[in-house]
């Protein structure tokens, strides 16, 4: 999930997304085969791990392995703010504004379709873009596009992932308990203090991070959020002496990325993409399906594209070098690819049953259609516009 620096390195996100896609298709096939009941028992059967802990394989993935995913998101955000597309205020305004409008409009579409009842809890499902799939899709479609378009798309995706994380923390909690949350606050304060002092003891961050994870769980907040808090507490690049080489956050990001890309995310796909298409209530006519489907496919395109257009027209945001509004339209379609975070929020919004299954079906339907729409947009644009080299352009970008 690291930002690739050249065409050769773009194969990394593509391989990761293909692995994720293969696992999702495998889960879907198995769930609709004679082995479907066995598949569901495998992930949902309770296991007793000692006298106090009862869990399931799906819960281990959701609350354990997804912590690594959230940690990687936090590390990527730090890197983009320190050295990447978000380091300058003017460059940061466009992806932040486009991410904000790209979250609000899908949520509004969903709310208008599902204003009341239990279905209303799913309003945040279509808000976020899947970083891995969007990067891989652009690697396939963007051979004639500048690298800055990929950086813009990843900055936008990371920004709306952070928005989704805030929504999870503030809305999808399970009844807040003040005492454990006070312990979580103390654990984070200790982590933050250790990071500001430039401590380089992995065991210290591991112990404090584990305490933070457990306190959030007991406090009613989904514990993978501990990953983001741990990421922002690690020593900043300026606190590491030159002789020590790369800062701890950079080393951790590079070491963690393969385990998340080829381990945590594929297992998450295996656990959650196994939708039984013959299940009760699974169809395309329900409000949950329509809200998620239209929110992802049209809400993200209009929200991201319209927000970016407004920012450039009013001149409080600027397109990166080599990126034209034609490229921006393709990126806006790709923003409708929602998978990992959308499925994760669906599991928080709805218990196992028809509503969750309808949301999953909408995600699995809208995401490939968003990719096809982006491909058609790029193809139509290539017939009307001169080719743009990967280095930044054969033709000069149009001023916003």
């Amino acid at each position: 999930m690291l930002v690739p620096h050249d065409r050769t390195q773009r194969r990394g996100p593509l391989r990761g997304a293909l692995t994720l896609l293969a696992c999702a298709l495998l889960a879907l096939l198995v769930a609709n085969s004679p082995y479907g009941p066995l598949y569901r028992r495998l992930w949902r059967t309770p296991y007793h791990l000692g006298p106090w802990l009862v869990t399931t394989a799906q819960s281990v993935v959701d609350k354990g392995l997804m912590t690594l995913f959230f940690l990687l998101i936090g590390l990527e955000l730090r890197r983009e703010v320190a050295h990447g597309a978000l380091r300058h205020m003017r460059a940061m305004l466009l992806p932040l504004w486009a991410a904000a409008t790209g979250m609000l409009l899908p949520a509004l579409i969903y709310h208008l379709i599902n204003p009341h009842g239990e279905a209303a809890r799913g309003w945040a499902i279509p808000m976020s873009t899947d970083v891995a799939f969007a990067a891989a899709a652009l690697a396939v479609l963007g051979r004639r596009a500048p690298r800055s378009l990929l950086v813009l798309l990843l900055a936008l995706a990371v920004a709306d992932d952070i928005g989704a994380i805030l929504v999870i923390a503030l809305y999808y909690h399970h009844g807040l308990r003040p005492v454990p949350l006070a312990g979580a606050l103390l654990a984070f304060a200790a982590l933050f203090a250790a990071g500001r002092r430039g401590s380089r003891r992995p065991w210290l961050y591991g112990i404090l991070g584990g305490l933070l994870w457990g306190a959030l769980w007991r406090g009613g907040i989904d514990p993978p959020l501990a990953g983001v808090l741990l990421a922002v507490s690690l020593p900043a690049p300026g606190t590491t002496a030159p002789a020590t080489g790369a800062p701890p956050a950079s080393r951790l990001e590079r070491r963690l990325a393969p385990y998340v890309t080829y381990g945590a995310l594929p297992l998450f796909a295996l656990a959650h993409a196994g939708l039984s298409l013959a299940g009760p209530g699974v169809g395309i006519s329900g409000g949950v399906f329509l809200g998620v489907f239209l929110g992802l496919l049209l809400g993200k395109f209009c929200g991201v594209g319209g927000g970016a257009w407004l920012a450039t027209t009013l001149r409080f945001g600027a397109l990166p070098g080599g990126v034209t509004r034609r490229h921006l339209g393709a990126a806006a379609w790709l923003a409708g690819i929602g998978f990992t975070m959308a499925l994760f929020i669906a599991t928080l919004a709805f218990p196992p049953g028809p509503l969750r299954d309808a949301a999953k079906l909408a995600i699995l339907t809208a995401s490939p259609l968003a990719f096809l729409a982006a491909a058609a947009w790029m193809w139509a644009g290539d017939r009307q516009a001169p080719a743009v080299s990967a280095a930044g352009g054969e033709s000069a970008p149009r001023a916003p």
Side-chain angles (χ1 to χ4, degrees):
M1 290 170 56
L2 299 175
V3 178
H5 296 284
D6 53 41
R7 187 172 295 176
T8 300
Q9 288 179 310
R10 290 187 186 189
R11 297 172 186 169
L14 180 58
R15 286 194 297 265
L18 288 177
T19 303
L20 191 58
L21 179 61
C23 290
L25 291 176
L26 177 62
L28 195 59
L29 289 173
V30 173
N32 290 277
S33 74
Y35 299 99
L38 177 62
Y39 166 85
R40 285 180 281 276
R41 285 199 302 271
L42 171 67
W43 292 108
R44 299 176 185 174
T45 299
Y47 298 97
H48 294 264
L49 304 178
W52 299 285
L53 181 59
V54 179
T55 188
T56 64
Q58 190 173 83
S59 182
V60 169
V61 172
D62 291 351
K63 302 187 184 306
L65 295 182
M66 288 302 287
T67 302
L68 301 180
F69 172 65
F70 278 58
L71 174 58
L72 187 59
I73 288 177
L75 293 171
E76 288 178 338
L77 177 67
R78 282 175 56 100
R79 173 168 49 83
E80 290 299 322
V81 170
H83 306 294
L86 303 181
R87 69 185 184 277
H88 301 304
M89 179 57 68
R90 184 166 171 78
M92 183 170 58
L93 282 176
L94 179 65
L96 288 182
W97 178 261
T101 54
M103 288 186 289
L104 290 175
L105 188 57
L108 177 60
I109 290 174
Y110 184 95
H111 175 71
L112 291 175
I113 296 174
N114 301 280
H116 306 293
E118 188 180 3
R121 283 183 52 82
W123 60 271
I125 296 173
M127 286 176 58
S128 61
T129 298
D130 190 280
V131 180
F133 273 124
L138 194 58
V140 173
L141 300 178
R143 297 181 185 278
R144 304 178 66 177
R147 175 186 172 269
S148 52
L149 179 63
L150 177 59
V151 174
L152 174 64
L153 180 62
L154 291 181
L156 187 151
V158 170
D160 75 7
D161 273 348
I162 296 301
I165 289 169
L166 292 175
V167 169
I168 291 171
L170 297 175
Y171 185 78
Y172 293 110
H173 53 75
H174 310 287
L176 301 181
R177 303 179 186 91
V179 174
L181 288 180
L185 182 61
L186 290 176
F188 176 67
L191 276 169
F192 192 81
R196 296 292 74 76
R197 289 198 306 267
S199 174
R200 302 181 68 249
R201 298 180 177 89
W203 60 267
L204 178 61
Y205 294 104
I207 292 175
L208 292 175
L211 291 174
L212 174 61
W213 186 93
L216 288 176
W217 189 4
R218 297 296 299 170
I221 294 179
D222 215 56
L225 296 176
V228 177
L229 298 177
L230 175 60
V232 301
S233 68
L234 291 175
T239 63
T240 305
T244 63
S250 299
R251 295 199 305 273
L252 178 59
E253 183 180 0
R254 294 192 177 276
R255 291 175 182 175
L256 187 61
Y259 295 100
V260 172
T261 302
Y262 300 108
L265 292 183
L267 283 172
F268 179 84
L270 286 172
H272 288 285
L275 170 66
S276 176
L277 299 178
V282 178
I284 63 174
S285 60
V288 170
F289 177 90
L290 291 176
V292 175
F293 180 84
L294 295 177
L296 281 174
L297 194 61
L298 297 181
K300 293 297 286 186
F301 173 73
C302 296
V304 171
W309 175 84
L310 184 64
T312 55
T313 300
L314 298 181
R315 297 183 180 275
F316 64 85
L319 291 175
V323 175
T324 66
R325 290 182 178 177
R326 177 175 66 91
H327 296 130
L328 192 60
W333 280 117
L334 291 177
I337 300 178
F339 187 79
T340 307
M341 192 67 79
L343 288 175
F344 186 71
I345 295 177
T347 65
L348 300 177
F350 304 126
L355 294 183
R356 183 188 290 186
D357 289 345
K360 288 183 178 181
L361 181 61
I363 295 165
L364 297 177
T365 305
S367 296
L369 290 178
F371 170 78
L372 293 176
W377 184 280
M378 289 287 284
W379 178 80
D382 282 343
R383 298 189 64 186
Q384 301 175 8
V388 178
S389 69
E394 182 179 302
S395 59
R398 181 169 57 185

